[in-house]
Amino acid sequence: MNLGPRDRSLFEGARRVTTRNLGALFAPSAVALIGASNRPGSVGAVLARNLMESGFRGPVMAVNPHEAAIRSALSYRNVAELPVSPELAVIATPPPTVPGLVGELAARGCRAAVVITAGFGEAGGDGAALRRQVLEAARPTLTRIVGPNCLGVISPATGINASFAQLTPRAGALALIAQSGAVTTAALDWADARGYGFSRIVTLGDTVDVDFGDMLDLLALDEATDGVLLYVESLTDARKFMSAARAAGRTKPVAVIKAGRSAAGARAALSHTGALAGADAVYDAAFRRAGLLRVYELRELFDAVTTLSSRMKVEGDRLAIVSNGGGAGVLAADALEARGGRIAELVPATIAALGKALPAAWSKGDPVDILGDAGPQRYEAALEAVLADPDADAVLVINCPTAVTDSTAAAEAVLKVVERQERRPAVLTAWLGERAPATARGRFAAARIPSHETPDEAVRAFMHLADHARNQRLLLQAPAERSTPVPDREAAAAIVARALAEERTLLADAEAKAVLAAYGVPVLATETAPTPAAAAEVARRIGGAVALKILSPDISHKSDLGGVALNLAPEGVEAAAQAMLERVAAAAPRARLQGFMVQAMADRPRAHELIAGLASDPTFGPVVLFGAGGTAVEVLADRTVGLPPLNGPLAQDMISRTRVAKLLAGYRDRPAADAAAIADVLTALAALAVDLPAVAELDINPLLADEKGVLALDARIRVASGPRPPPAIRPYPAALARRVDAGGEALEVRPVRPDDADRLATLVARSEAEDVRLRFGLSLRKLPDVWAARLSQIDYDREMAFVATDPQGGVVGVARLAGDPEGETAEFALMIRSDHQGRGLGRTLMEILIGYARQRGYRELWGSIARANERMQSLAKALGFTPAADADPSLTRATLRL
């Protein structure tokens, strides 16, 4: 259902500020082209052609002081001469002229400008200065700038082609946002030949203003867009991107290609963790956490978002395959295993049902080979049986053309089964061949059933569904600031502070282990000794076999230099220590050797060696790493990366993405390792990263794990002073939860969570029609799913929503705040369920919201209240709000100075 403008204003909140004026890119009342030209082949001439011949119904005004007319339309000498104020301007003039033009256009009321011009990207000098000047010229009127150095923007449905692309694409429901004009033109050409259409196309260029976050904020609420395609080269504001991507990912499918996948650009780092946490792996983790689907080829990008837009849902990665060709079924099974999926293990009831319906020579398992002479009845019976199997998350139906069967009739049988199901089943098809399956594919397309040319393509589509579903589950997780108990955070902070005060970058081994112990990570006790003789004395006191390690602030990987000796008897320690001193001194003559570390040998002979740690990414801030550890960690290269904060499910997902996870699950006579203990280590490290930003890198290698738990043998921590990138995702602010009394009923008030979407929809459904109308400004029988998702998935940096829940967990009231990007003012909104009004809950929630606004440093809190909403008008007055006229005469603007 479409929501009215007042409802959008109330709900978009901070996103309404970040998307302000962006609507002019796609539906302006008038357009100005600065730098239009008649010179054939010039950018100005192509821009003029595209703007004037793409069906835009408003005026397109050309500005060129040297031409009387552009394409038979009157040309104006400057912006001042324009007879109509343009809402959108396209600028293709030399760089030094652009700031002045933006200022003139802003003064005329221009809401958005697309700067085609290149020459602003220099790291210093004139380019950087011009960028600042453009922003300063646009800031007073919040004129939005796309570019510079971009291809332009296109909105086919509204006749806007403000680009120098080679064609105007057909209208459709896909949006494409890209940083590369060349990739965009290639995508347009490819898509046009295959019948894809677009709702919006935006090339961001150098992103001096409008970026991916802005466009995702806009497209999340764009009713013309069903799916979003992203081509990303780099990001600058990770928190903004993650917030917008998570909101968009809840409402519609978003597929992304990230260029620059090679690890060559990853910076060198001191620890194993820093070296392994390459930039591409971090982007991968960010996309997963935002609920996006990452793909790797241009065609795959379109295929993925088309598959996801079918709204087909799967719960896991188990695929059943039905085929009239054994070889095709095997190819599909091979492709499935290669992509990390699983063949469904059909239950006995399914095998029995298939046995009754199929010839005796059928395959007796998955893939289900129904033989080459299979007609429509056999397809129908097999699909019915497999769809009922509880172990199958989806079914792939394959048809190979033969002279004795009809491919179209087989397709009709599949459609008949799908139509009979109570809910839409997860069915994909692969009708092989070129001519024979053409009609069948058309029937599938009309029914919105994914159809593919090869088994591999169909399996890839299924894995897109499975991976997207998995990422969507991650998106619903809202880790709190404290996922696990922290015994002594202050002690850990004091150790880090002392090292920084002493201008040390590496913590001593004992210090590193003390920090870990403070966060609940089990560590192996270590004693230090300054000399070989002292090391021998420590070994005798420990008793039994010991490990001896060199102690030096200048050596990170001790074993590489012969600085580790294991299983030493106490009587052999002194000689081993002396030999180690000589060996390490020869290998690293400049290293400061401060003695030895002596540890009892950990008696965990069947434990797995893992690595866990932290690294700092320049874009996304701190990241958590996990994988197979030991001395061959770089060779194995078995690791995954996650973004803090983490909780149990997120940590378990990280573990499951590694190859070593299969070993940790147990095999033969080796019991499974304690997965919960491993997950606790990862959540503890994530909490440490949030609490102690001065920790630049942390490396636990090895982390021993077996059925008894975990034990950190070696730990290395590097610290750094100065500002550091914050975590890309702000933790769920659980500390803001409290208990309140409303008319004698005990309620919990807490920040909203992603899993509150259904509860918010119920809040609206259980409220009286008049209350809903006063709140939203229109009759609303049901809160649309897209809005419920958007309202529950918020950026706690820019927004806050406090929900009041009853003892059954239902939401009975919500107070919402959305701040402007500068942190100066914030808009509020309030709704109380009809059966909970008159109990003081509205006042309680508003007082909590006002207190939060003061704590965050906002200077002003305001909201638009329906004049007919006398209760809200009275509450606002009692709370000290000052009423004033609103632009909408049916509303009052209430403002509270903080």
Side-chain angles (χ1 to χ4, degrees):
M1 114 174 273
N2 293 338
L3 299 183
R6 183 187 164 214
D7 184 58
R8 286 181 177 278
S9 173
L10 288 169
F11 270 152
E12 285 182 339
R15 300 182 194 280
R16 182 174 54 78
V17 178
T18 64
T19 61
R20 183 177 294 167
N21 289 329
L22 288 182
L25 292 171
F26 309 126
S29 59
V31 180
L33 172 57
I34 322 298
S37 174
N38 286 319
R39 182 165 55 87
S42 67
V43 170
V46 177
L47 286 166
R49 181 199 69 195
N50 285 348
L51 278 168
M52 294 177 179
E53 296 184 358
S54 296
F56 178 59
R57 295 185 178 182
V60 176
M61 300 167 289
V63 176
N64 186 325
H66 307 297
E67 298 281 1
I70 300 292
R71 299 183 70 83
S72 300
L74 184 64
S75 178
Y76 301 93
R77 291 179 298 176
N78 51 52
V79 171
E81 284 189 359
L82 294 176
V84 177
S85 294
E87 286 193 324
L88 172 64
V90 183
I91 301 175
T93 61
T97 67
V98 175
L101 287 169
V102 170
E104 293 178 49
L105 289 162
R108 289 292 306 268
C110 183
R111 295 169 55 202
V114 179
V115 182
I116 305 295
T117 310
F120 290 78
E122 296 87 346
D126 293 342
L130 286 173
R131 289 164 67 98
R132 289 193 298 270
Q133 292 168 23
V134 168
L135 288 176
E136 289 167 1
R139 185 174 292 115
T141 55
L142 291 179
T143 301
R144 305 309 301 272
I145 307 297
V146 175
N149 189 24
C150 70
L151 179 75
V153 303
I154 306 175
S155 177
T158 55
I160 289 293
N161 186 346
S163 80
F164 60 98
Q166 76 278 25
L167 56 85
T168 296
R170 67 191 71 193
L174 298 180
L176 171 62
I177 313 299
Q179 279 180 308
S180 167
V183 168
T184 301
T185 56
L188 294 185
D189 194 71
W190 188 92
D192 187 65
R194 289 159 178 79
Y196 287 100
F198 294 89
S199 58
R200 322 289 186 201
I201 298 168
V202 178
T203 57
L204 297 172
D206 293 341
T207 61
V208 68
D209 173 25
V210 176
D211 59 14
F212 281 107
D214 296 316
M215 294 312 305
L216 285 170
D217 277 340
L218 186 73
L219 294 172
L221 305 172
D222 183 21
E223 293 164 358
T225 299
D226 290 340
V228 182
L229 314 173
L230 302 180
Y231 172 81
V232 177
E233 292 179 351
S234 64
L235 298 172
T236 53
D237 189 335
R239 273 203 169 181
K240 181 180 177 183
F241 173 80
M242 291 299 293
S243 169
R246 286 160 68 84
R250 284 288 303 278
T251 62
K252 55 193 64 176
V254 182
V256 56
I257 283 183
K258 166 64 175 70
R261 292 165 52 194
S262 116
R267 66 180 181 87
L270 177 67
S271 69
H272 289 299
T273 302
L276 289 170
D280 191 66
V282 179
Y283 272 95
D284 210 33
F287 296 148
R288 286 199 306 268
R289 192 71 176 273
L292 312 186
L293 177 68
R294 183 175 185 179
V295 298
Y296 299 94
E297 300 171 3
L298 190 60
R299 177 174 178 174
E300 187 184 6
L301 185 67
F302 285 90
D303 287 349
V305 80
T306 301
T307 301
L308 299 179
S309 296
S310 70
R311 303 298 179 187
M312 187 180 294
K313 303 293 184 184
V314 300
E315 296 298 324
D317 60 2
R318 301 167 302 177
L319 181 67
I321 301 167
V322 176
S323 174
N324 70 338
V330 171
L331 287 175
D334 288 345
L336 183 67
E337 182 178 352
R339 293 181 179 274
R342 294 178 291 166
I343 283 284
E345 297 289 341
L346 301 179
V347 299
T350 303
I351 298 293
L354 289 168
K356 293 178 181 179
L358 301 179
W362 81 282
S363 58
K364 311 298 190 301
D366 192 6
V368 179
D369 182 0
I370 61 176
L371 307 181
D373 62 345
Q377 295 80 12
R378 208 178 290 173
Y379 268 98
E380 184 177 346
L383 182 56
E384 283 274 16
V386 174
L387 279 176
D389 193 288
D391 194 62
D393 296 305
V395 181
L396 168 60
V397 186
I398 301 174
N399 178 268
C400 304
T402 70
V404 297
T405 61
D406 184 343
S407 293
T408 302
E412 295 290 355
V414 171
L415 291 171
K416 188 188 301 184
V417 175
V418 170
E419 290 169 0
R420 285 202 298 262
Q421 307 304 308
E422 291 184 7
R423 62 181 183 86
R424 181 178 177 84
V427 175
L428 301 95
T429 64
W431 255 232
L432 278 58
E434 188 63 35
R435 295 176 183 173
T439 302
R441 288 178 189 154
R443 302 277 176 88
F444 288 135
R448 299 197 73 182
I449 294 176
S451 181
H452 303 275
E453 296 180 1
T454 67
D456 182 75
E457 289 178 3
V459 167
R460 184 176 68 179
F462 167 69
M463 291 307 299
H464 287 159
L465 291 168
D467 291 341
H468 185 256
R470 183 177 184 179
N471 293 350
Q472 288 287 300
R473 289 191 291 272
L474 298 183
L475 181 57
L476 291 174
Q477 299 297 323
E481 292 161 302
R482 296 287 181 271
S483 298
T484 56
V486 179
D488 202 346
R489 176 189 180 281
E490 290 72 20
I495 292 171
V496 172
R498 182 169 61 249
L500 291 174
E502 296 172 359
E503 298 184 347
R504 289 188 287 125
T505 58
L506 275 178
L507 299 189
D509 182 82
E511 292 175 316
K513 288 182 176 174
V515 169
L516 292 176
Y519 277 79
V521 177
V523 298
L524 182 64
T526 302
E527 293 190 50
T528 60
T531 65
E537 179 58 33
V538 170
R540 284 190 288 271
R541 186 168 64 252
I542 292 174
V546 298
L548 181 71
K549 302 176 184 179
I550 199 71
L551 179 62
S552 170
D554 303 316
I555 298 174
S556 295
H557 304 306
K558 305 173 187 65
S559 58
D560 292 350
L561 302 179
V564 177
L566 304 177
N567 283 310
L568 294 176
E571 57 270 19
V573 167
E574 184 169 0
Q578 186 60 48
M580 183 180 293
L581 269 182
E582 296 170 1
R583 190 166 56 245
V584 173
R590 296 186 178 182
R592 291 166 292 171
L593 305 184
Q594 299 176 340
F596 306 90
M597 294 178 288
V598 186
Q599 301 170 324
M601 286 297 299
D603 186 20
R604 310 284 279 268
R606 293 158 64 90
H608 301 274
E609 289 192 339
L610 307 174
I611 184 172
L614 299 174
S616 183
D617 183 82
T619 301
F620 291 93
V623 297
V624 181
L625 181 138
F626 169 79
T631 55
V633 60
E634 284 97 347
V635 177
L636 293 173
D638 176 26
R639 81 283 185 271
T640 188
V641 172
L643 301 184
L646 297 175
N647 59 12
L650 290 171
Q652 293 285 5
D653 181 79
M654 281 185 64
I655 296 167
S656 71
R657 292 181 183 275
T658 60
R659 297 192 301 275
V660 76
K662 294 182 179 179
L663 300 179
L664 296 173
Y667 58 96
R668 294 184 179 176
D669 64 340
R670 197 165 182 177
D674 188 341
I678 301 171
D680 285 345
V681 171
L682 298 182
T683 56
L685 293 182
L688 189 154
V690 173
D691 290 342
L692 304 176
V695 173
E697 290 174 6
L698 186 153
D699 181 9
I700 304 174
N701 185 26
L703 174 71
L704 297 186
D706 57 18
E707 72 278 10
K708 300 176 183 177
V710 296
L711 184 66
L713 294 192
D714 263 338
R716 189 165 43 252
I717 295 178
R718 186 174 71 84
V719 296
S721 58
R724 307 191 62 75
I729 302 172
R730 186 183 174 193
Y732 175 74
L736 297 178
R738 68 196 76 186
R739 307 290 297 182
V740 301
D741 180 88
E745 182 181 21
L747 303 174
E748 182 185 31
V749 175
R750 57 168 174 79
V752 73
R753 298 192 304 252
D755 61 356
D756 285 325
D758 289 343
R759 300 183 187 98
L760 294 176
T762 302
L763 166 69
V764 172
R766 294 188 59 183
S767 294
E768 295 177 5
E770 180 62 10
D771 288 336
V772 175
R773 188 188 67 79
L774 290 174
R775 170 62 183 83
F776 295 103
L778 77 166
S779 297
L780 191 65
R781 295 169 58 188
K782 179 182 182 296
L783 189 66
D785 292 343
V786 62
W787 283 94
R790 168 62 193 88
L791 291 171
S792 57
Q793 185 85 55
I794 70 170
D795 175 2
Y796 300 111
D797 263 346
R798 295 190 281 173
E799 305 168 76
M800 179 53 67
F802 289 104
V803 295
T805 61
D806 60 21
Q808 292 73 43
V811 173
V812 298
V814 57
R816 187 172 298 274
L817 172 152
D820 64 30
E822 287 75 31
E824 296 288 325
T825 67
E827 180 182 6
F828 77 85
L830 175 71
M831 183 173 183
I832 306 298
R833 205 171 74 188
S834 300
D835 60 353
H836 275 69
Q837 294 180 9
R839 304 183 185 183
L841 178 57
R843 184 183 187 106
T844 298
L845 285 176
M846 283 301 298
E847 289 174 344
I848 291 172
L849 198 69
I850 291 168
Y852 177 80
R854 285 199 171 99
Q855 178 190 353
R856 295 283 292 178
Y858 290 108
R859 296 184 181 181
E860 181 180 286
L861 187 64
W862 66 275
S864 295
I865 306 172
R867 290 186 181 274
N869 195 344
E870 296 179 359
R871 282 187 175 181
M872 191 64 219
Q873 297 276 4
S874 176
L875 175 58
K877 184 177 180 181
L879 291 170
F881 284 82
T882 303
D886 192 273
D888 184 337
S890 68
L891 305 176
T892 297
R893 182 183 173 105
T895 303
L896 178 66
R897 298 290 298 176
L898 300 176

